[in-house]
Amino acid sequence: MPAAYKFFAEFAQTWGLLYFVAVFLAVLIYALAPSRKDRFDAASRMPLQED
C-alpha cells in the first residue's frame, strides 16, 4: 500500500471523526440552548395554526 494513501486514510479517519463530533456537539448545543426555546416552541405549533 502506498505511503501517501495510508497517510491520507489515517488523516481522514482521525480528523474526520473529530470534525463530525464537533459538528454534532455544535448542533446539539444550538438545539438545546435555552435562549432558542421560544423560537422552537413557536415553530412546533406552526403546522397546527389555521391561516
Side-chain angles (χ1 to χ4, degrees), residues 19-41:
Y19 171 75
F20 283 114
V21 167
V23 169
F24 173 77
L25 291 175
V27 169
L28 192 66
I29 290 169
Y30 171 80
L32 298 178
S35 63
R36 292 181 179 79
K37 183 178 183 340
D38 293 335
R39 185 186 315 171
F40 289 147
D41 286 342

Side-chain angles (χ1 to χ4, degrees), residues 37-50:
K37 183 178 183 340
D38 293 335
R39 185 186 315 171
F40 289 147
D41 286 342
S44 70
R45 289 188 302 273
M46 202 177 298
L48 303 175
Q49 294 175 350
E50 294 188 26

